[in-house]
Amino acid sequence: MIYLDYQATTPVAPEVAKAMQAWIEEKFANPHSPSRWGNEAEAAIEVARKRVETAIGLKGGSVAFTGSATEAINWALKGSVENAGKGRNRIVTVATEHAAVLDTCEWLAAQGVDLTILPVQPDGRLDLELLARELDSRVLLVAVMQVNNEIGVTQPISEIATMAHDAGALMLCDGVQAFGRVEICKGPDLVAVSAHKIHGPKGIGGLWMRKGAEPAPFIHGGGQERGLRSGTLSPALCVGFGASAKLADERMTRDYDHVQKLWAAAIRALGEGWIINGSTAHRYHGNLNIRREGVDGARLIADLRDIAFSLGSACASGSGRPSHVLRALGLDYRETRSSIRLGFGRYTTQKELVDACRRIAAAAHAQEKLDA
Ligand code: PLP
């Protein structure tokens, strides 16, 4: 199989699996119990936390581990609403955000929060003048992702954070697709990250919180994570997350250069007739979202079962609904259906990517001939 779905998840790095092994097979102590074994597990978790914080690279805050980035985002949004000062009852976000943000915001809107979802320009970028017009003293939080999971387009997070702060609001950045691949932009108060997008294990994420901007607790219980997020931590998952963050940090330039070369090779191998969805300048190049007139993306996936690629987000692909991100760019229903997403990274070889792209191009051509 050729794996080209790096936005959905990434293969676990061998170094990560190795680091986790002892914590699965032998060291089972509860990291919150006071025994020597418990202390050892707790110390390993703190090393892991530092590694994740170092890789995030922001100053003046700390990370709490969560079960996923989805949980971190739910917590950030719901807990910030709970903490909001009098008169601040409004959230501003963007139409191309992940479902973890949009669905949580919709849920909050049903509870009485005033929600503004801003459109994007045809290249997927947010118009900052539009944002400026929406920011007033009623806004409690602005939520914008750094790298889009479906189209790879980046948003100017630092400028957005400054604008949010000038209006007295917090800024939440969904950093899931940026983390470990590009530097996280300075400025946000809250950043959600996930281990399985950076060659770590599934089932663990984190919320970086600027000191003083911690959201109200969302999961109640034993008071772990400084009383902010209860639940026994898994040393294996934390150690795995820490190892993947350290590796991503150390290899960032190398991985980034590799991705740039892969992008160029993929474009060459696909040949003529494809249109890239979203900005090509403001983009993470490990995400190639393309469309081709007259092609059915779902049929391409069915025709090429030994190549793993997708129509957009894993959630959108499963639902059969047209991608809300592509719709937000202004694509019509037919154009969204003719779009596919190729995602590649650290362990993708140029040869397998070129092979896959040539076969995708040939299958698209065959569809066109069949339908002509
Ligand atoms: N945000 C973005 C941009 C994502 O791509 C994803 C995962 O697909 C998430 C949030 C949710 O992450 P998790 O799988 O850790 O819940």
Side-chain angles (χ1 to χ4, degrees):
M1 185 181 74
I2 302 179
Y3 185 74
L4 298 180
D5 206 5
Y6 266 59
Q7 280 70 44
T9 197
T10 53
V12 173
E15 295 91 333
V16 170
K18 192 155 170 264
M20 291 175 69
Q21 198 170 0
W23 296 98
I24 296 169
E25 291 180 353
E26 301 155 34
K27 304 180 183 198
F28 61 86
N30 186 321
H32 313 294
S33 64
S35 67
R36 187 156 60 82
W37 296 283
N39 291 344
E40 188 197 2
E42 187 188 24
I45 287 173
E46 291 317 310
V47 170
R49 192 189 311 279
K50 267 274 153 302
R51 289 178 170 170
V52 175
E53 287 170 355
T54 303
I56 290 175
L58 301 178
K59 299 272 176 285
S62 58
V63 163
F65 289 117
T66 60
S68 62
T70 300
E71 183 196 319
I73 289 166
N74 268 263
W75 175 22
L77 289 166
K78 294 175 185 176
S80 297
V81 167
E82 202 176 321
N83 277 350
K86 210 169 166 321
R88 289 200 186 259
N89 187 39
R90 190 158 166 236
I91 291 179
V92 177
T93 188
V94 182
T96 47
E97 290 296 299
H98 189 271
V101 168
L102 290 177
D103 284 17
T104 308
C105 285
E106 294 289 0
W107 184 87
L108 284 164
Q111 317 302 309
V113 168
D114 189 4
L115 175 63
T116 302
I117 301 176
L118 297 175
V120 291
Q121 303 172 97
D123 68 352
R125 297 264 289 175
L126 176 62
D127 176 353
L128 294 188
E129 281 179 19
L130 190 66
L131 174 65
R133 285 201 289 279
E134 293 297 334
L135 294 177
D136 59 28
S137 61
R138 292 171 303 150
V139 178
L140 73 101
L141 183 140
V142 177
V144 185
M145 67 187 1
Q146 185 171 333
V147 174
N148 188 274
N149 52 306
E150 290 200 36
I151 52 174
V153 168
T154 55
Q155 301 291 357
I157 295 301
S158 297
E159 283 102 308
I160 295 169
T162 303
M163 291 167 73
H165 293 159
D166 287 348
L170 294 172
M171 156 84 197
L172 163 65
C173 174
D174 175 346
V176 170
Q177 296 288 343
F179 183 49
R181 293 173 176 163
V182 293
E183 268 187 31
I184 295 283
C185 294
K186 310 276 178 279
D189 304 286
L190 301 159
V191 181
V193 293
S194 184
H196 73 100
K197 311 286 184 179
I198 62 159
H199 307 286
K202 291 168 189 58
I204 183 160
L207 183 64
W208 183 89
M209 302 165 284
R210 187 178 302 290
K211 199 169 176 346
E214 296 88 350
F218 171 57
I219 293 184
H220 303 274
Q224 291 89 349
E225 296 296 77
R226 295 185 287 137
L228 290 167
R229 194 272 187 183
S230 288
T232 304
L233 289 174
S234 158
L237 292 178
C238 294
V239 165
F241 194 3
S244 62
K246 181 168 181 281
L247 204 58
D249 207 24
E250 288 167 355
R251 295 183 50 125
M252 187 175 287
T253 310
R254 207 165 121 203
D255 285 351
Y256 185 85
D257 291 347
H258 178 55
V259 158
Q260 296 295 107
K261 286 191 189 118
L262 291 175
W263 164 276
I267 301 276
R268 274 197 307 273
L270 283 164
E272 306 274 291
W274 298 91
I275 298 167
I276 297 171
N277 292 321
S279 168
T280 46
H282 301 284
R283 185 190 197 98
Y284 169 66
H285 287 102
N287 177 325
L288 180 53
N289 193 316
I290 42 175
R291 69 178 192 274
R292 187 184 175 102
E293 174 76 27
V295 160
D296 180 339
R299 229 166 92 197
L300 271 188
I301 290 174
D303 287 348
L304 299 161
R305 297 306 294 179
D306 60 334
I307 305 175
F309 62 106
S310 71
L311 296 177
S313 73
C315 335
S317 296
S319 73
R321 275 181 285 146
S323 149
H324 71 281
V325 174
L326 297 181
R327 297 286 282 159
L329 301 189
L331 269 60
D332 65 25
Y333 183 67
R334 244 191 37 241
E335 289 169 322
T336 64
R337 283 187 55 108
S338 68
S339 297
I340 56 169
R341 181 185 69 184
L342 309 179
F344 35 83
R346 185 184 299 166
Y347 301 113
T348 315
T349 66
Q350 192 153 321
K351 182 181 176 320
E352 64 180 349
L353 180 60
V354 166
D355 281 355
C357 288
R358 287 193 181 137
R359 287 181 54 208
I360 289 169
H365 199 59
Q367 265 190 26
E368 285 162 1
K369 276 186 35 199
L370 209 66
D371 296 340

